[in-house]
Amino acid sequence: MTRLPALAALAMGTAALTTAALLTGGTAEAASPPFTASVFRATHNSYSGSVDGAKNSIAYQLDHGVRFIEYDIHDNGYATNHDYGVGHDSPGNAVDHSGGNPASNNLRDWLSVVNTWSAAHPSAAPIVVMLDLKDNLTDNANFAAGNLTAVNQELESVFGSRLLRAQDYPAGSPTVDALRGRVLPLLSGDGGSRSEYKRDVGYHPAVALNGRGQIVEVHDSGGGALWYWTGTYGADGRVTWLRHGKYDSGQTPAVALNDNGDLVEVHQSQTATTLWYHAGKLGSDGEITWQDSHQYDNGVQPTIAFTDATHVREIHQSQSSSQNWTWNGALAGTTVTWTGNAKTSDARYAKDTATNGTRRVKVWTGADGPTPSNTLRVDTASVTGDRIRYRQVAFDEFQKGDSAELQQGALFYGAPATESAFITSARQSGKLVRGWDFDSASDATTPLANYPATNHPYDAWYQTVVAGAVE
């Protein structure tokens, strides 16, 4: 481990280079260091202020050069508060509400503090706001229950145009000056939630596409749960996924969707060969209002398609032979009236593929590099193999000991400040590295972690270590 002298020399060298560029007429852009090569003041458990450590309020931290803010969040009480709770072991635990910090534990209030400060300081170096997920968000059944779509929505609604989404991060090596005034969201904490943010998994995916470019995908978990995704087909031929949720139990689902947003879903029971259907309505926000399920027959491998705006045809296989059977259905309000049950020589619909005009969508499962073999994927007329997943609004931190799929494509790395080998290697690879509990000068490495996250940001030793930090 390299100690303070070498680090201080590096900082002075960077400062000298910047000064020289300015004195010789260099532009500010030319003098600005690459974002990934820069060091920024950072705090650990920023919300704890002076309850744990000596950090003071969030606004005070930002006023004094801190550019990395950490909020630990919980989903306990989300259904009641419609928000996540800030705190260490639970909402409110080790939270400092003094000094102008929010009186509540609601995440939106704490994000708003950063947004207000950022709006008032548009030339400040980019601020990273890290959400340390203390709970598993994958068991939240939908947006209303606080799944990761709700995290995205809250970040975007609070920060607006100041938010730099992971999916919009500039190619190449952007400079600090190019990112001034922006807020970068980062997910840390629960590994299962971070993995699901990057990809989803499932079995037997099926898809429907209407003339308005709206998309509904359904699949089973392989363990008895039925899940959906909704999205839109873009002008660039890519699908933007909007909402995700659990809607029932069963297996081998299929779905049909008309131009009015009415849908009919069919599936087989998980434990028997009974067939069931749901009617539903797709809203403009991408959320589905599901009606109760009803049994309509016995069989396996159900498929379905609209034949006009209010009528569907269903084809499934007998539970005891290879014979296919068909039903005609009339959708009225929230129910389907089934008639005309008969044997058919027609093949079942290709439920994994949907076309409408020049638009085409195919859903399938397959590994994408280190991801599992049942990773949900999508092809369109323009792209092949995109992941079906949450919009990549936030960056996803890779931590020491994480899986290869979390490392794939990660820009932000993190480890305890004592993990000098991990920090040094990641920095040398051009990553943005956080070292948390950075509470001693002896934790300094060369290169120093981009974000040496401390509980004591105003101590003389810390100020010396981060001499030359970007503000």
Side-chain angles (χ1 to χ4, degrees):
M1 179 183 296
T2 304
R3 304 292 182 179
L4 193 57
L7 181 65
L10 177 64
M12 288 187 291
T14 301
L17 178 62
T18 301
T19 302
L22 294 175
L23 290 175
T24 57
T27 65
E29 181 66 24
S32 178
F35 181 40
T36 55
S38 302
V39 172
F40 305 86
R41 291 177 178 83
T43 50
H44 175 239
N45 293 344
S46 311
Y47 58 88
S48 66
S50 298
V51 170
D52 178 23
K55 297 180 285 285
N56 215 309
S57 69
I58 297 298
Y60 187 94
Q61 292 174 48
L62 292 168
D63 282 340
H64 289 77
V66 171
R67 297 294 178 263
F68 186 105
I69 299 294
E70 176 189 350
Y71 294 142
D72 293 351
I73 65 170
H74 303 260
D75 62 1
N76 304 335
Y78 188 94
T80 300
N81 299 325
H82 306 295
D83 202 355
Y84 307 93
V86 173
H88 193 261
D89 295 330
S90 61
N93 174 245
V95 176
D96 188 346
H97 294 289
S98 67
N101 277 343
S104 82
N105 300 316
N106 293 336
L107 175 61
R108 179 178 294 275
D109 294 337
W110 289 80
L111 294 176
S112 295
V113 172
V114 179
N115 182 59
T116 298
W117 191 94
S118 179
H121 300 82
S123 63
I127 302 169
V128 173
V129 175
M130 191 189 81
L131 305 182
D132 191 338
L133 308 178
K134 293 299 187 180
D135 298 328
N136 178 8
L137 270 58
T138 67
D139 56 1
N140 295 340
N142 50 37
F143 174 85
N147 69 5
L148 289 158
T149 305
V151 174
N152 279 349
Q153 192 275 338
E154 186 153 328
L155 289 167
E156 292 183 309
S157 66
V158 170
F159 292 112
S161 61
R162 273 179 287 279
L163 194 70
L164 177 56
R165 301 170 182 84
Q167 64 196 37
D168 299 327
Y169 185 76
S173 183
T175 64
V176 172
D177 282 355
L179 303 182
R180 287 186 180 276
R182 307 301 297 274
V183 176
L184 282 67
L186 176 64
L187 298 183
S188 184
D190 183 71
S193 301
R194 286 186 288 128
S195 295
E196 185 176 273
Y197 192 74
K198 297 185 71 170
R199 53 88 183 131
D200 194 17
V201 294
Y203 298 89
H204 310 117
V207 70
L209 166 70
N210 69 14
R212 298 165 60 188
Q214 295 175 303
I215 297 169
V216 174
E217 184 274 346
V218 292
H219 62 273
D220 67 61
S221 67
L226 293 172
W227 293 83
Y228 69 92
W229 283 94
T230 67
T232 57
Y233 196 109
D236 60 356
R238 307 186 82 94
V239 178
T240 298
W241 299 102
L242 301 175
R243 293 289 176 92
H244 175 49
K246 179 182 177 182
Y247 65 95
D248 204 349
S249 60
Q251 60 180 321
T252 61
V255 65
L257 177 69
N258 69 16
D259 289 351
N260 295 322
D262 302 310
L263 63 90
V264 180
E265 179 272 352
V266 291
H267 64 271
Q268 180 185 335
S269 167
Q270 177 66 18
T271 57
T273 55
T274 53
L275 297 178
W276 301 74
Y277 84 91
H278 285 273
K281 187 73 172 183
L282 176 61
S284 59
D285 59 358
E287 196 56 79
I288 296 174
T289 301
W290 294 96
Q291 304 301 322
D292 291 339
S293 63
H294 304 278
Q295 184 181 354
Y296 66 94
D297 203 352
N298 295 294
V300 296
Q301 301 294 330
T303 63
I304 193 166
F306 271 97
T307 57
D308 62 30
T310 59
H311 292 85
V312 294
R313 186 184 183 206
E314 188 272 351
I315 305 175
H316 65 269
Q317 181 181 322
S318 167
Q319 69 272 26
S320 58
S321 72
S322 60
Q323 177 64 53
N324 283 345
W325 289 78
T326 186
W327 283 96
N328 295 316
L331 176 64
T334 61
T335 61
V336 176
T337 301
W338 300 98
T339 59
N341 182 222
K343 293 180 180 179
T344 181
S345 60
D346 293 346
R348 297 187 301 279
Y349 294 109
K351 68 175 189 175
D352 63 348
T353 303
T355 59
N356 199 298
T358 60
R359 300 180 178 123
R360 177 183 64 85
V361 178
K362 177 181 174 62
V363 292
W364 52 286
T365 58
D368 184 14
T371 71
S373 61
N374 61 330
T375 299
L376 294 167
R377 313 284 293 279
V378 60
D379 300 342
T380 71
S382 302
V383 297
T384 300
D386 270 4
R387 299 182 188 182
I388 299 175
R389 63 178 180 179
Y390 295 99
R391 289 186 306 112
Q392 299 298 281
V393 171
F395 295 83
D396 207 330
E397 185 179 63
F398 169 71
Q399 298 182 1
K400 182 179 181 180
D402 279 344
S403 64
E405 64 174 324
L406 279 171
Q407 185 175 18
Q408 184 186 34
L411 175 65
F412 286 85
Y413 279 44
T418 53
E419 294 288 349
S420 56
F422 179 89
I423 291 170
T424 301
S425 175
R427 284 284 278 116
Q428 291 171 342
S429 299
K431 306 301 181 181
L432 285 161
V433 189
R434 172 177 70 109
W436 68 82
D437 277 333
F438 191 97
D439 289 332
S440 169
S442 64
D443 292 329
T445 56
T446 301
L448 182 65
N450 304 88
Y451 299 103
T454 186
N455 294 293
H456 304 279
Y458 317 117
D459 285 4
W461 69 265
Y462 185 77
Q463 294 297 322
T464 300
V465 167
V466 297
V470 181
E471 296 183 22

